[in-house]
Amino acid sequence: MASTTSTEQSGLFGYLLPEFKKASGLDIKVVALGTGQALDMARRGDADVLFVHDQVAEEKFVAGGWGVKRYPVMYNDFILIGPKNDPAGTKGKDIVQALQKLAATNGNFISRGDKSGTHAAELRYWKLAGAEATKGSGYKECGCGMGPALNIAASSGAYVLADRGTWLNFKNRADLAVLVEGDTKLFNQYGVMVVNPAKHPHVKSQDAQKFVDWVVSPAGQRAIAGYKIGGEQLFFPNATQ
């Protein structure tokens, strides 16, 4: 399975995959990459199933014949993390306004810069903020996963867009806090797809479909809802919606 760093670093797969093995007897090896890299891996035929979060890119992947069908699985949300004292004054519910303030004050911002689903979302928000070209001199790309990006932000007192799951599982918070949350634009949908065996005949499409069928079934959806850290649910199943 090619998947995102957020499903891995949030601890979800460590919880979910043993449940799937109990139900099916199948082991899944996960390669956690940014969504863009996961889609590339699947296009090369190096994955049997995809579990990612960039709906536009996923729909394009299926339309191009690379995936059989896209199933919605679950959602969580993105949050803007930054220093507790919030030097750029971003705190609130409006992600667009927050990024405009960061650009205007040259606030330190760590971008994943890795073509992941989170990076794609972040670029959409900068565009909405009218700051696509002028993100401020504090903007830095790390070309790294969510955990490392949070570590850099923690050690340098910078802002970072994160998925809530990885943040809740993140231990090295230093002076960081959640500053922007609750904006409907921050909704983060995940999808799952079997790689098309018509493109890559060696793909284990039957086993892959067993995982897809399980994860969107009531049992799989219950397992997703049951994963919590400190009593807080990380992902919200919505396969049937």
Side-chain angles (χ1 to χ4, degrees):
M1 176 154 64
S3 189
T4 76
T5 59
S6 57
T7 40
E8 182 82 328
Q9 288 170 357
S10 63
L12 176 70
F13 282 153
Y15 173 85
L16 199 63
L17 296 186
E19 294 294 317
F20 173 64
K21 185 167 184 182
K22 269 187 235 166
S24 67
L26 292 170
D27 276 309
I28 293 185
K29 179 179 185 292
V30 176
V31 180
L33 304 154
T35 287
Q37 292 166 299
L39 289 163
D40 287 344
M41 183 178 163
R43 276 189 201 95
R44 293 194 301 272
D46 294 337
D48 304 304
V49 66
L50 272 167
F51 196 138
V52 288
H53 65 136
D54 183 351
Q55 190 163 342
V56 175
E58 291 163 47
E59 285 167 356
K60 200 170 160 187
F61 180 84
V62 172
W66 299 102
V68 180
K69 181 186 172 186
R70 178 189 177 276
Y71 298 80
V73 183
M74 63 185 192
Y75 67 92
N76 67 356
D77 60 339
F78 295 115
I79 45 184
L80 184 70
I81 307 290
K84 283 194 182 83
N85 65 345
D86 190 20
T90 61
K91 194 168 173 62
K93 270 186 79 162
D94 191 329
I95 187 62
V96 169
Q97 211 171 43
L99 293 183
Q100 284 167 342
K101 286 178 177 172
L102 276 167
T105 58
N106 294 315
N108 290 332
F109 184 93
I110 304 301
S111 170
R112 291 270 298 269
D114 64 348
K115 297 190 173 140
S116 59
T118 306
H119 182 218
E122 180 221 308
L123 293 177
R124 280 199 304 277
Y125 304 144
W126 283 113
K127 194 172 180 178
L128 288 168
E132 213 174 351
T134 53
K135 300 179 184 85
S137 58
Y139 184 86
K140 306 276 185 302
E141 288 193 347
C142 70
C144 63
M146 196 68 257
L150 280 164
N151 275 320
I152 296 166
S155 63
S156 61
Y159 292 81
V160 62
L161 184 79
D163 69 279
R164 193 181 291 273
T166 307
W167 169 251
L168 288 173
N169 205 27
F170 181 65
K171 305 290 187 280
N172 173 34
R173 293 184 179 182
D175 191 37
L176 295 182
V178 178
L179 297 173
V180 180
E181 62 183 331
D183 189 331
T184 53
K185 291 185 199 71
L186 293 168
F187 179 81
N188 178 27
Q189 177 70 46
Y190 287 78
V192 66
M193 293 156 283
V194 175
V195 177
N196 193 350
K199 292 271 192 189
H200 296 292
H202 65 272
V203 162
K204 300 186 186 90
S205 56
Q206 286 176 318
D207 287 346
Q209 190 63 50
K210 281 179 191 166
F211 173 72
V212 170
D213 291 344
W214 178 80
V215 85
V216 301
S217 76
Q221 294 278 286
R222 270 198 306 278
I224 288 167
Y227 180 55
K228 294 176 181 170
I229 293 179
E232 192 164 348
Q233 188 172 330
L234 274 73
F235 298 96
F236 297 84
N238 66 346
T240 52
Q241 288 167 28

